[in-house]
Amino acid sequence: MSYAAYKMMHWPTGIENCASGFITHCGADFAPQIPLVPSDDLETEWPAKKGIGPIPNLVVTAGNVLEVYAVRVQEEEDGKGSRSPVEAKRGGFMAGVSGASLELICHYKLHGNVETMAILPVGGGDNQKKRDSIILAFRDAKISILEFDDSIYGLRVSSMHCFEGPEWQYLKRGRESFSRGPLVKVDPQGRCGGVLVYDMQMMILKAAQAGYGLVGDDEANAFEATKSARVESSYVISLRDLDMKHIKDFTFVYGYIEPVMVILHEQELTWAGRISWKHHTCVISALSISTTLKQHPLIWSAINLPHDAYKLIAVPSPIGGVLVISANALHYHSQSASCVLALNSFTVPIDISQDMPRSNFNVELDAANATWLSHDVAMLSAKTGELLLLTLVYDGRVVQRLELSKSRASVLTSGMVTIGSSFFFLGSRLGDSLLVQYTCGLGASSGSSGYVKEEAGDIEGGLPSTKRLRRSSSDALQDIVTGEELSLHSSAPNISESVQKTFSFAVRDSLVNVGPLKDFSYGLRINADPNAAGIAKQSNYELVCCSGHGKNGALCILQQSIRPELITEVELPGCKGIWTVYHKNARGHNSDAAKMSSDDDEYHAYLIISLESRTMVLETGELLGEVTESVDYYVQGSTVAAGNLFGRRRVVQVFARGARVLDGSYMTQDISLGAPSSDSTSPTDSSVVASASIADPYVLLRMTDGSVQLLVGDPSTCTISVSIPSIFDSSKGKISACTLYHDKGPEPWLRKTSTDAWLSTGLGEAIDGADGALPDLGDIYCVVCYESGSLEIFEVPSYKCLFSVDKFTSGKTYLADTFVRETSKDCQDVKNQGFEEIASNANKETRQSMKIVDLAMHRWAGQFSRPYLFGMLADGTLLCYHAYLFEIQDNTPEVEEGVSLQDSVNISSTSTSRLRNLRFVRVPLETYTREEASAVSPCQRFSVFKNIGGYQGLFLSGSRPTWFMVCRERLRIHPQLCDGSIVAFAVLHNVNCNHGLIYVTSQGFLKICQLPSVSSYDNYWPVQKIPLRGTPHQVTYYAEKNLYPIIVSVPVVKPLNQVISSIVDQEIGHQIELDNSTSDEFNKTYTTEEFEVRILEPETGGPWQTRATISMQNSENALTVRMVTLHNSKTNENEILLAIGTAYVQGEDVAARGRILLFSIGKNDESSPITVTEVYSKELKGAISALASLQGHLLIASGPKVILHKWTGSELNGVAFYDAPPLYVVSLNIVKNFVLVGDIHKSIYFLSWKEQGAQLNLLAKDFGNLDCFSTEFLIDGSTLSLVVSDEQKNIQIFYYAPKMSESWKGQKLLSRAEFHVGAHITKFLRLQMLPTFSDRSGSATGSDKTNRFALLFGTLDGSIGCIAPLEEITFRRLQTLQKRLVDAVPHIAGLNPRSFRQFQSNGKAHRPGPDNMIDCELLFHYEMLPLEEQLEIAQQIGTTRAQILTNLNDLSLGTSFL
């Protein structure tokens, strides 16, 4: 019996819902800064300076991921110094804004897919101090309302409404399956919301009015001036009772005293064969909703809307009313007026006599999205990606006509939303989502000026400056070429004769999307290392994925681990550390502006390498030359740290017994740090420098005996002096780690968190005497962690304690200053006792392993950035915290009491100067695999980098080196596996290595590298997108020649009669043409897909080259492409051929046919072109939908048959067939002589092939009706299981057991496990699992472990995960833990992981299978729990924390592919 684990590795990226609202700040705060306002004088400037006004947040959902963003705007007159090198600007300059970007506020992975989302706005008028809330709806009828809580800097549930379960069963009216999940819409004034569930029940959510509501909450949060919109109650309206049957859409309209809901429904259904008689079947009805009386009278309605109307859009005040969108027409209706616009020649008028106004170009709107740019102009996006502007021409409140004009082409959208008054967001599942700024001009004069401005932007967009190309996504890149697309820029404004408004657009930011992943293959990277072994070998590979659709189609090259591009490497054994330093001459005294601009591009001067017993110094000029002999550096022993002081004018070098200050190569000061000579007894003598942290102009040293010394620099003389802070001599115990934090930037961040006094006096006066000398450098703080586990932050050099946390090591979710938290004096003692108890209970968990061995705190560049705090525990656990600001109000008397009870603390000093508004929230690090305790070396180091290849972040060296990149205030975690463990790391920027890096591997190689620039690292995995300008369908890998054959289809628009004549037989075709050749008929066009197979070759650095193209015939679709190994029976040799299976798509009147094509691909040497020669082609009955090679034979699924063919070198001859009733085979998998066939409706078949009798035999099948998407074999030692994914987003694992009685003598496949993934899995890939740490230690037995394969899968949401086999004992342990975690972890939005992972059958009969699959998405919450809870849960389930963490770690290591 085998057990499996489900694990996500790359979360969904295809955006399905987007909305905007004031979530983290209210509309009254003009500055889009989060809850804080910088200072009074600044605030008055903001609105005046830019006409942008308050900018709401953007909320997006992708699959089960919810993200909240803030839009950050950079104005033109921003100080140039504050902008980081990373934020390259896109889209030029427009309307006082030089750039805008999205910054992540918070993100959550939910236990359920978000079906629809809406924002519950705060009512108008005086409530501007309130914030909006987010309404999420989940299948089948669950609704959660979330609001932003400043105290936790995240979302929390304000109410939940569930209409499922036995007591609500009657709402389903006996039905089990529903065409769609719940649909949420909200009244624009925020008075109520409506949710359509079960296709016919309307839930009304009544919003709490301002005056009353959840009173208890109000009193508790009396000081919280900002409160979010809340829902007070909900009730049900049965639309069936109002005689509305087939509801398509609904919306709330503007301009009524009570909320008015307009519902679009169809009275009687029609179908394709009846359209010519019955075509206007839709109706809209407007109901006035009275939430207090629970009444809903009908106030107006309109009939005779087209049958294909599907969407309603409420028109904003002052016009009001509603737009009805159908495929071929736009209708406007209000209580008093209506008008219509025909969009193309397929539009049918209600009666023949009537003449409909037409748009002056043809367009189809059958999958449109829309948003309002102003109160009378809507932007629509069509299914081709075109953006259209719809203007309502109105007089007073009466709309006279609709006018449609073309704007630009853009990404294919899944949703669009206007953010504030000058941005809109295009969300997409099929391409990258874009943030666009727009401005609206009136009349021709402003239009022309806009035109000029845009032209300038256009030219700039064409410049292939590397930085610009690197930062922009490939979707945007491919569009620079055409110039017409709305991508990085747009040129001509849209001018239509009567419309006075012109709009200009500039793309400001984009979110990368790799979905939908239709197919992928697993190939070698270009810079693969043939000698790699073990886990390092995995970073030789990459996934090449077919993603996107139509013009957004692309190849995504995904790699889980980073492999830097090597510039040079040197063997250098015994290295302990490396540092690069700058050297500035007297020119450092120049003006600050000059200094700021040159800082980023200044080259490093020296490279210092510390070996075991000596130090080397190299010059980093054109060549790396050793200058150890000619410099005054300390070279007789190893170095502890080196860095720059005094604005890069001096270098400080710290070694075990001293420190030196150098100006270039000359020493200016030497300090010895041994014990003072008076008491040079042996114990104190042994105390030497263990580690050092440098923050200009201070150096903090931690000695081996746990004490601390500070070297204080004097900038005027460029000298340093030793000071031993007395505060650490007290009884607090030894210091286990410490670091300096330099709060740089135009406005130091930590200062804002101290007290309100700072803010009111303005920043200038607030600087006290200590910092007065260096106002431009920001503040410096010292972060200290004691062996007892507590953490404190001090001001340097005064050593006032500003912030302290008890038991930092336990990893609590939120950290706040203990003085603020505590309300009674013995609280602390109790907590400490509890910790002692648990520690003594868990005798395995030594206290030693729970101490912090390394700390780092840093705030990266960016106007709104907040500091991160990293701590490494001795057992390899990494804690990461992100700081945020939460203003505590003073009217809570208990806190003061608590402070006064503290032993002998001076109240006045603590209350004024502590960072009492500082909080930290723990950041989950799911993709980080922690190191095993034994592997952690003492030199485990964090290295902060500010610009490596345009990215900033932190590098963690050690046995599993990892990059932590900070993009949009979010940590992106990318491992680097290619060199095994790394002992030292440094940044290098010089002539030959532009913003690169140096690292030393544990094997003793020093490598100088650069980060590969083609990849974008702002994604779960590094990704490179290669635009194809067509839809990719399938890709396969030809390993011998390193080529990727790929099926691409390109949409082509043709005249309708040409399409019809090609389908129908020729004689009839002529008659058709003669009959219908009216002028109107000629205009009708039809879009068909033309297929081809392109053979691509990977290229370093640029887009991949198409080496050859194989075109398909007219109306022939290529369905599958595979590299197959066939045994040539004539020559007795194996040949590798490219096999293509196709089908002719000619309508339902023509019998299906398909072709099998075989090609040989030749390539003599590197330079010669590829030759593709057709060796065989044959037409067969039925579509050829799947191909595979089985022991040298070719297995072809053609229509309802599976046929095995033998290859003679010129012919394919059938040798065996299987004729069961597959309707259409979606996948064929082969292991040895076993075949797994997956059918679109008939589930799976398990066949075997016998050579001697030439037979394909059915061993067993699944008797259920399963709409299969993808299949694969799961191999665990000697156990073979069959995995299948289906249309309801589930996975099932079957096994073949003919000896079991319930298998009906072996005819039936038995279920081994079932699991709901929540995404459509389109492809499985079987990969051998890697040896894990516990295997290497010899506990494993023989070959059973090695023959173990996991399945990597890709989904239509853009997510990637894997299914990995587990031992029974591990499975049982983790399953017990999973059951505990369902209750132990607070789940966001109140969703239950157990119900989410239940098999979903959508109303079909299904017998539940065994629950033999664990959900790692839930198990990863274990590591995020505080230590005390981890120990307690482990004890409850009868195991240890170490054991659980080892199991989870082994799973991560075993599946760290790519």
Side-chain angles (χ1 to χ4, degrees):
M1 196 62 199
S2 80
Y3 300 90
Y6 160 86
K7 177 171 180 279
M8 283 310 276
M9 302 159 91
H10 181 292
W11 284 268
T13 55
I15 291 178
E16 284 153 11
N17 300 298
C18 54
S20 78
F22 291 99
I23 307 295
T24 61
H25 53 281
C26 42
D29 308 348
F30 255 105
Q33 272 162 301
I34 310 220
L36 55 119
V37 177
S39 69
D40 299 35
D41 53 344
L42 271 177
E43 194 191 274
T44 48
E45 272 181 291
W46 270 75
K49 192 155 50 175
K50 54 174 196 285
I52 285 187
I55 302 179
N57 297 92
L58 170 70
V59 188
V60 299
T61 70
N64 64 334
V65 176
L66 171 71
E67 296 178 326
V68 181
Y69 289 95
V71 179
R72 298 298 189 200
V73 176
Q74 291 126 20
E75 298 95 85
E76 178 195 26
E77 53 277 313
D78 225 2
K80 287 287 176 285
S82 67
R83 184 156 307 116
S84 75
V86 183
E87 300 173 290
K89 283 178 284 180
R90 287 176 58 171
F93 179 74
M94 172 193 271
V97 173
S98 60
S101 58
L102 292 172
E103 174 190 298
L104 188 76
I105 302 291
C106 53
H107 69 290
Y108 297 99
K109 302 185 176 80
L110 311 174
H111 297 293
N113 288 353
V114 180
E115 289 289 324
T116 52
M117 169 175 67
I119 301 290
L120 179 65
V122 175
D126 52 342
N127 304 340
Q128 280 306 297
K129 273 288 179 214
K130 288 175 66 176
R131 301 179 184 168
D132 306 341
S133 297
I134 304 172
I135 305 183
L136 301 177
F138 305 90
R139 273 187 192 269
D140 280 313
K142 289 188 270 286
I143 300 139
S144 290
I145 290 104
L146 304 177
E147 61 182 46
F148 188 78
D149 182 354
D150 287 323
S151 63
I152 60 170
Y153 206 75
L155 298 174
R156 68 160 186 218
V157 177
S158 71
S159 65
M160 301 188 298
H161 309 263
C162 180
F163 298 97
E164 294 175 14
E167 67 272 37
W168 296 104
Q169 192 67 38
Y170 72 91
L171 293 178
K172 297 187 179 182
R173 305 192 70 109
R175 290 172 56 191
E176 282 298 325
S177 83
F178 300 95
S179 55
R180 61 171 168 203
L183 177 65
V184 186
K185 295 285 168 74
V186 174
D187 173 47
Q189 289 175 33
R191 293 166 296 191
C192 71
V195 187
L196 179 68
V197 298
Y198 302 132
D199 294 348
M200 58 200 152
Q201 306 287 349
M202 181 66 69
M203 310 296 156
I204 300 293
L205 306 174
K206 181 183 176 185
Q209 296 304 313
Y212 41 92
L214 306 172
V215 182
D217 252 25
D218 269 2
E219 283 163 7
N221 301 357
F223 57 83
E224 223 184 297
T226 55
K227 210 180 110 228
S228 303
R230 299 242 166 112
V231 169
E232 185 186 285
S233 59
S234 55
Y235 66 95
V236 183
I237 300 177
S238 169
L239 298 177
R240 186 75 176 263
D241 301 347
L242 302 177
D243 205 29
M244 297 182 191
K245 293 191 189 112
H246 310 284
I247 292 143
K248 297 186 157 194
D249 196 17
F250 74 99
T251 188
F252 287 90
V253 290
Y254 290 79
Y256 286 86
I257 296 169
E258 285 207 309
V260 171
M261 175 194 285
V262 178
I263 300 176
L264 172 68
H265 54 108
E266 200 165 1
Q267 283 174 308
E268 303 172 41
L269 295 179
T270 178
W271 65 287
R274 293 280 297 163
I275 292 292
S276 46
W277 291 273
K278 192 171 171 185
H279 41 71
H280 282 70
T281 55
C282 286
V283 178
I284 55 174
S285 308
L287 307 179
S288 173
I289 307 287
S290 166
T291 49
T292 44
L293 301 171
K294 300 195 179 178
Q295 291 179 346
H296 35 268
L298 177 73
I299 53 175
W300 57 270
S301 63
I303 57 168
N304 284 343
L305 288 160
H307 70 96
D308 51 4
Y310 65 96
K311 200 183 202 113
L312 293 178
I313 291 162
V315 181
S317 304
I319 305 173
V322 65
L323 277 174
V324 186
I325 301 184
S326 67
N328 309 315
L330 283 172
H331 293 254
Y332 167 83
H333 281 280
S334 72
Q335 200 162 349
S336 52
S338 68
C339 57
V340 61
L341 180 68
L343 301 172
N344 54 42
S345 53
F346 293 109
T347 317
V348 184
I350 299 169
D351 50 30
I352 307 300
S353 59
Q354 175 190 7
D355 190 33
M356 297 169 80
R358 299 205 160 220
S359 78
N360 47 15
F361 56 93
N362 279 352
V363 65
E364 290 172 27
L365 286 184
D366 51 348
N369 288 295
T371 186
W372 291 94
L373 298 188
S374 70
H375 69 94
D376 58 343
V377 180
M379 175 178 272
L380 299 162
S381 84
K383 61 184 175 185
T384 54
E386 274 185 306
L387 293 180
L388 311 169
L389 292 176
L390 174 72
T391 309
L392 279 63
V393 182
Y394 68 103
D395 180 15
R397 273 191 153 188
V398 178
V399 175
Q400 291 155 339
R401 63 180 192 277
L402 308 174
E403 291 192 349
L404 197 64
S405 61
K406 281 193 181 185
S407 180
R408 356 209 57 64
S410 176
V411 64
L412 304 173
T413 62
S414 61
M416 52 202 299
V417 63
T418 310
I419 307 174
S421 58
S422 43
F423 291 94
F424 62 86
F425 178 76
L426 303 172
S428 175
R429 276 190 82 236
L430 304 174
D432 291 355
S433 302
L434 304 176
L435 174 72
V436 185
Q437 184 190 354
Y438 69 93
T439 53
C440 164
L442 284 165
S445 59
S446 66
S448 59
S449 69
Y451 187 81
V452 176
K453 221 184 277 180
E454 292 299 330
E455 276 303 326
D458 209 319
I459 297 159
E460 184 244 353
L463 292 176
S465 73
T466 52
K467 166 99 13 123
R468 183 185 184 85
L469 292 187
R470 181 173 314 162
R471 298 296 302 167
S472 57
S473 68
S474 64
D475 280 13
L477 282 188
Q478 66 189 41
D479 293 341
I480 294 183
V481 191
T482 61
E484 237 323 275
E485 305 262 337
L486 163 59
S487 193
L488 281 157
H489 51 268
S490 62
S491 46
N494 320 288
I495 298 170
S496 127
E497 296 73 67
S498 59
V499 181
Q500 287 305 298
K501 287 191 176 175
T502 56
F503 286 86
S504 13
F505 305 110
V507 170
R508 291 304 189 188
D509 202 353
S510 64
L511 300 178
V512 176
N513 169 25
V514 299
L517 298 175
K518 298 195 186 68
D519 187 30
F520 57 79
S521 63
Y522 179 76
L524 277 177
R525 299 191 193 182
I526 301 163
N527 57 359
D529 169 20
N531 307 322
I535 286 193
K537 189 174 180 182
Q538 285 304 312
S539 57
N540 284 344
Y541 297 99
E542 60 193 5
L543 275 191
V544 176
C545 311
C546 296
S547 77
H549 180 84
K551 61 183 196 130
N552 294 129
L555 271 192
C556 285
I557 306 358
L558 286 164
Q559 306 164 347
Q560 197 180 348
S561 59
I562 290 182
R563 174 184 276 277
E565 289 169 358
L566 190 67
I567 296 177
T568 174
E569 72 174 316
V570 191
E571 195 161 356
L572 187 76
C575 175
K576 286 274 171 279
I578 46 178
W579 298 270
T580 45
V581 293
Y582 300 97
H583 169 48
K584 246 186 192 162
N585 321 2
R587 65 188 167 80
H589 292 292
N590 296 354
S591 72
D592 283 355
K595 196 165 82 187
M596 284 306 274
S597 58
S598 64
D599 259 11
D600 184 42
D601 281 332
E602 186 184 346
Y603 288 157
H604 287 108
Y606 293 102
L607 168 65
I608 300 160
I609 302 175
S610 165
L611 304 173
E612 273 162 21
S613 57
R614 62 192 188 95
T615 295
M616 287 168 65
V617 183
L618 283 78
E619 245 178 353
T620 57
E622 284 282 340
L623 301 165
L624 283 181
E626 187 171 348
V627 290
T628 312
E629 302 305 315
S630 60
V631 291
D632 292 344
Y633 281 85
Y634 170 77
V635 294
Q636 291 79 31
S638 62
T639 302
V640 175
N644 286 89
L645 287 183
F646 313 122
R648 297 186 179 172
R649 283 174 290 165
R650 296 284 185 276
V651 174
V652 61
Q653 179 197 15
V654 180
F655 43 96
R657 295 199 170 274
R660 288 188 183 187
V661 181
L662 300 106
D663 183 353
S665 55
Y666 305 107
M667 178 166 72
T668 58
Q669 191 182 4
D670 189 7
I671 290 181
S672 81
L673 291 165
S677 53
S678 57
D679 47 44
S680 56
T681 47
S682 50
T684 48
D685 205 32
S686 63
S687 168
V688 292
V689 180
S691 67
S693 165
I694 300 170
D696 187 8
Y698 301 102
V699 183
L700 181 71
L701 310 175
R702 185 174 69 81
M703 316 305 276
T704 45
D705 63 357
S707 65
V708 161
Q709 300 196 9
L710 182 73
L711 307 183
V712 183
D714 178 354
S716 52
T717 60
C718 289
T719 55
I720 54 176
S721 55
V722 183
S723 90
I724 299 179
S726 56
I727 189 161
F728 296 129
D729 298 345
S730 63
S731 58
K732 286 186 180 163
K734 289 187 168 184
I735 288 174
S736 65
C738 58
T739 181
L740 288 177
Y741 166 58
H742 190 171
D743 200 13
K744 288 203 218 36
E747 34 184 79
W749 191 87
L750 274 184
R751 249 183 234 176
K752 299 176 191 169
T753 66
S754 61
T755 45
D756 313 297
W758 293 107
L759 293 176
S760 54
T761 51
L763 298 180
E765 307 152 38
I767 299 170
D768 49 38
D771 299 15
L774 301 165
D776 62 322
L777 286 177
D779 311 335
I780 293 182
Y781 301 88
C782 164
V783 187
V784 173
C785 212
Y786 298 96
E787 293 205 347
S788 64
S790 57
L791 171 123
E792 297 194 335
I793 299 181
F794 296 92
E795 197 174 47
V796 175
S798 67
Y799 278 100
K800 273 195 300 199
C801 176
L802 300 179
F803 184 83
S804 57
V805 177
D806 292 326
K807 299 207 300 295
F808 171 67
T809 46
S810 74
K812 293 190 277 279
T813 317
Y814 301 102
L815 303 180
D817 191 358
T818 38
F819 282 159
V820 176
R821 275 278 175 87
E822 270 159 33
T823 50
S824 68
K825 114 179 142 196
D826 39 20
C827 167
Q828 188 173 358
D829 311 334
V830 174
K831 275 198 272 186
N832 277 347
Q833 272 171 338
F835 187 61
E836 301 290 341
E837 247 169 71
I838 291 181
S840 59
N841 287 354
N843 44 8
K844 298 262 177 66
E845 313 282 336
T846 53
R847 281 293 292 283
Q848 191 53 33
S849 74
M850 292 325 293
K851 75 171 189 188
I852 294 278
V853 291
D854 202 1
L855 268 179
M857 184 167 172
H858 194 76
R859 174 173 164 234
W860 280 275
Q863 196 180 345
F864 298 96
S865 63
R866 312 190 308 280
Y868 277 97
L869 173 65
F870 292 87
M872 174 64 77
L873 289 169
D875 70 344
T877 309
L878 182 63
L879 301 176
C880 168
Y881 285 92
H882 201 173
Y884 65 95
L885 179 137
F886 173 58
E887 291 189 23
I888 304 161
Q889 306 301 320
D890 274 328
N891 56 2
T892 40
E894 315 98 293
V895 175
E896 289 300 323
E897 235 171 281
V899 173
S900 60
L901 289 171
Q902 290 288 332
D903 39 325
S904 72
V905 173
N906 176 347
I907 293 186
S908 60
S909 70
T910 55
S911 58
T912 51
S913 60
R914 291 186 75 85
L915 303 175
R916 48 199 299 267
N917 294 336
L918 173 63
R919 296 273 177 104
F920 287 93
V921 58
R922 187 154 168 212
V923 181
L925 309 171
E926 287 113 331
T927 46
Y928 170 70
T929 309
R930 63 185 212 117
E931 307 180 353
E932 289 300 329
S934 61
V936 175
S937 49
C939 71
Q940 175 80 51
R941 294 298 305 159
F942 297 113
S943 318
V944 170
F945 58 89
K946 295 189 181 64
N947 184 354
I948 294 186
Y951 288 87
Q952 51 184 9
L954 178 136
F955 183 83
L956 175 67
S957 42
S959 64
R960 279 188 71 80
T962 310
W963 294 81
F964 294 85
M965 294 184 179
V966 180
C967 310
R968 320 181 183 279
E969 279 299 280
R970 165 189 204 144
L971 277 185
R972 293 294 195 181
I973 304 169
H974 303 304
Q976 177 178 323
L977 309 173
C978 54
D979 295 293
S981 92
I982 288 178
V983 292
F985 173 95
V987 182
L988 176 65
H989 177 47
N990 73 358
V991 185
N992 302 318
C993 177
N994 183 27
H995 294 299
L997 56 136
I998 305 185
Y999 60 89
V1000 181
T1001 66
S1002 55
Q1003 280 86 39
F1005 286 94
L1006 178 139
K1007 302 192 173 192
I1008 300 182
C1009 306
Q1010 275 176 313
L1011 213 52
S1013 58
V1014 287
S1015 295
S1016 160
Y1017 297 96
D1018 183 16
N1019 187 32
Y1020 298 105
W1021 290 4
V1023 58
Q1024 176 192 356
K1025 284 187 100 166
I1026 295 159
L1028 294 172
R1029 299 307 239 161
T1031 307
H1033 294 276
Q1034 227 182 38
V1035 60
T1036 181
Y1037 179 55
Y1038 185 16
E1040 283 73 9
K1041 306 269 198 289
N1042 198 26
L1043 299 171
Y1044 289 93
I1046 170 170
I1047 298 176
V1048 181
S1049 70
V1050 182
V1052 180
V1053 178
K1054 293 182 175 174
L1056 185 62
N1057 46 16
Q1058 186 184 330
V1059 177
I1060 292 176
S1061 63
S1062 71
I1063 290 176
V1064 184
D1065 287 334
Q1066 287 307 307
E1067 309 119 60
I1068 316 168
H1070 289 305
Q1071 292 162 13
I1072 286 182
E1073 277 178 42
L1074 294 173
D1075 293 347
N1076 299 352
S1077 52
T1078 57
S1079 61
D1080 186 31
E1081 206 64 27
F1082 278 125
N1083 299 338
K1084 292 196 177 178
T1085 57
Y1086 185 75
T1087 308
T1088 58
E1089 298 271 328
E1090 293 199 347
F1091 281 76
E1092 60 190 24
V1093 174
R1094 298 183 194 169
I1095 298 175
L1096 276 78
E1097 183 170 32
E1099 294 268 320
T1100 36
W1104 291 11
Q1105 298 301 315
T1106 304
R1107 295 288 177 214
T1109 306
I1110 305 166
S1111 295
M1112 298 294 117
Q1113 295 173 0
N1114 201 357
S1115 71
E1116 179 182 31
N1117 289 11
L1119 297 180
T1120 179
V1121 58
R1122 289 286 174 251
M1123 297 305 308
V1124 292
T1125 307
L1126 300 184
H1127 184 75
N1128 187 331
S1129 56
K1130 291 241 177 75
T1131 61
N1132 231 2
E1133 286 172 355
N1134 284 345
E1135 298 178 19
I1136 298 181
L1137 299 175
L1138 173 68
I1140 303 173
T1142 74
Y1144 290 99
V1145 179
Q1146 294 174 313
E1148 56 190 19
D1149 304 325
V1150 184
R1153 302 172 294 137
R1155 285 198 306 162
I1156 170 80
L1157 306 167
L1158 295 179
F1159 292 87
S1160 72
I1161 300 178
K1163 185 181 174 192
N1164 305 332
D1165 52 39
E1166 287 304 309
S1167 55
S1168 69
I1170 292 169
T1171 55
V1172 177
T1173 45
E1174 183 177 313
V1175 289
Y1176 181 75
S1177 88
K1178 182 183 180 184
E1179 196 171 288
L1180 300 172
K1181 279 184 191 164
I1184 297 176
S1185 55
L1187 299 164
S1189 53
L1190 170 59
Q1191 296 183 342
H1193 297 356
L1194 182 62
L1195 190 61
I1196 299 176
S1198 71
K1201 279 194 174 70
V1202 182
I1203 311 173
L1204 191 66
H1205 292 79
K1206 190 167 68 176
W1207 174 241
T1208 63
S1210 58
E1211 270 304 310
L1212 278 178
N1213 297 328
V1215 284
F1217 68 92
Y1218 172 66
D1219 230 3
L1223 304 173
Y1224 179 90
V1225 175
V1226 285
S1227 66
L1228 285 176
N1229 307 100
I1230 288 170
V1231 164
K1232 297 185 177 168
N1233 62 331
F1234 295 114
V1235 182
L1236 175 57
V1237 178
D1239 183 74
I1240 191 79
H1241 282 310
K1242 296 284 183 186
S1243 197
I1244 55 174
Y1245 295 80
F1246 185 40
L1247 314 175
S1248 78
W1249 153 245
K1250 291 205 175 66
E1251 185 85 54
Q1252 51 268 47
Q1255 285 176 319
L1256 269 178
N1257 293 333
L1258 175 68
L1259 295 176
K1261 65 174 187 169
D1262 172 28
F1263 282 82
N1265 279 352
L1266 197 66
D1267 296 351
C1268 180
F1269 262 44
S1270 179
T1271 58
E1272 187 51 277
F1273 288 103
L1274 183 65
I1275 300 171
D1276 180 11
S1278 55
T1279 319
L1280 186 70
S1281 311
L1282 321 173
V1283 180
V1284 54
S1285 69
D1286 65 44
E1287 182 263 341
Q1288 291 299 321
K1289 307 185 178 181
N1290 304 306
I1291 283 181
Q1292 275 174 286
I1293 303 182
F1294 291 97
Y1295 66 112
Y1296 174 57
K1299 295 197 171 68
M1300 306 267 286
S1301 60
E1302 55 264 47
S1303 73
W1304 304 349
K1305 295 186 181 169
Q1307 298 177 59
K1308 185 177 180 219
L1309 290 169
L1310 300 178
S1311 174
R1312 180 164 274 165
E1314 55 184 31
F1315 190 83
H1316 183 67
V1317 176
H1320 287 127
I1321 294 181
T1322 48
K1323 162 90 175 188
F1324 286 109
L1325 174 73
R1326 193 170 65 238
L1327 294 174
Q1328 185 154 5
M1329 286 183 75
L1330 308 170
T1332 59
F1333 183 77
S1334 54
D1335 297 351
R1336 288 197 292 272
S1337 56
S1339 64
T1341 50
S1343 63
D1344 199 37
K1345 278 283 189 67
T1346 54
N1347 190 27
R1348 202 167 230 201
F1349 290 80
L1351 300 183
L1352 197 70
F1353 62 77
T1355 73
L1356 291 182
D1357 293 342
S1359 54
I1360 297 169
C1362 74
I1363 293 183
L1366 285 179
E1367 278 104 63
E1368 178 162 8
I1369 182 163
T1370 310
F1371 170 78
R1372 295 279 177 230
R1373 181 183 300 122
L1374 293 179
Q1375 191 184 36
T1376 320
L1377 172 64
Q1378 178 176 314
K1379 286 176 180 162
R1380 288 282 313 127
L1381 288 178
V1382 171
D1383 306 326
V1385 176
H1387 302 297
I1388 186 76
L1391 293 162
N1392 187 333
R1394 277 185 61 193
S1395 74
F1396 179 44
R1397 296 309 182 186
Q1398 218 85 50
F1399 186 89
Q1400 314 264 319
S1401 61
N1402 195 22
K1404 288 183 186 163
H1406 173 77
R1407 173 191 276 165
D1411 182 19
N1412 288 336
M1413 206 155 182
I1414 54 168
D1415 176 14
C1416 292
E1417 286 289 272
L1418 179 56
L1419 292 174
F1420 278 129
H1421 284 287
Y1422 180 74
E1423 296 181 46
M1424 285 294 295
L1425 291 172
L1427 177 70
E1428 293 81 3
E1429 290 181 37
Q1430 289 186 23
L1431 296 172
E1432 190 187 340
I1433 289 178
Q1435 206 172 359
Q1436 285 171 350
I1437 63 173
T1439 178
T1440 62
R1441 169 178 178 268
Q1443 181 68 60
I1444 293 171
L1445 292 179
T1446 304
N1447 288 154
L1448 292 173
N1449 213 35
D1450 284 352
L1451 195 59
S1452 294
L1453 286 172
T1455 56
S1456 50
F1457 310 116
L1458 305 164

